[in-house]
Amino acid sequence: MTDSNTAAVADQLADVLDNYIVGALEAIGALDLADMTRERIAETAPTLAASLCSDDDEVAAQTVIDLAGVAWPEEPEPVWWRTPVGRMVGRSVGRDDTESVSYSVAAAMLGVATGTVKSMMARERTDLDRHPDGGLTRASVLARIARLDRP
């Protein structure tokens, strides 16, 4: 993983953690704790990003587990998977994901038109896998996102 990818992941993690955690502390009036937490997040985000971007699958997977529910929504919007953090999470969790996604959701995840996905599937020269329910496997969509992101 390149340093710029890791830096982008760190920036996104810092923003999200600041919004969720610091935002909650500010909402209850704990401004001193909010300031200390903001500083700690800024110090910790690069380390979390390095772990999330690690070539060690176990380290990356454990980081996803540690951050789940805090650094991203439980059910992220399809476009979230194209964010720096979304791509790293998808790389970590995607292989065993047997969930089905519709062509329109796959298109949103990939950043293309639904017709493009349909055309890819009609040509049958694609790395996207059909799901038995008629959609696509989310794992194959996440794997494609990960491959497109590689330098």
Side-chain angles (χ1 to χ4, degrees):
M1 202 55 46
T2 66
D3 288 340
S4 63
N5 287 344
T6 304
V9 170
D11 289 345
Q12 184 182 353
L13 283 174
D15 287 346
V16 170
L17 293 171
D18 188 277
N19 286 337
Y20 285 144
I21 300 169
V22 175
L25 291 169
E26 289 174 338
I28 62 169
L31 301 181
D32 56 335
L33 286 175
D35 289 340
M36 288 188 306
T37 303
R38 183 170 281 125
E39 289 176 22
R40 183 65 180 182
I41 287 170
E43 295 167 3
T44 306
T47 302
L48 291 169
S51 295
L52 192 59
C53 296
S54 173
D55 289 333
D56 184 328
D57 289 342
E58 289 182 29
V59 169
Q62 186 59 53
T63 305
V64 169
I65 291 166
D66 293 344
L67 290 171
V70 177
W72 55 84
E74 283 186 35
E75 190 59 43
E77 293 293 320
V79 296
W80 179 83
W81 293 102
R82 290 193 323 263
T83 68
V85 171
R87 290 190 308 267
M88 293 303 101
V89 170
R91 180 180 67 108
S92 179
V93 302
R95 288 181 224 130
D96 298 326
D97 192 343
T98 60
E99 183 176 330
S100 173
V101 295
S102 67
Y103 281 37
S104 61
V105 169
M109 291 171 73
L110 293 166
V112 299
T114 302
T116 301
V117 174
K118 289 179 180 177
S119 177
M120 291 167 61
M121 297 307 291
R123 288 189 311 250
E124 295 186 12
R125 288 181 294 177
T126 183
D127 48 2
L128 299 173
D129 298 328
R130 294 184 194 278
H131 190 276
D133 76 355
L136 302 171
T137 64
R138 188 163 72 166
S140 69
V141 176
L142 294 175
R144 183 173 179 88
I145 292 168
R147 279 190 298 282
L148 293 175
D149 187 48
R150 293 227 158 92

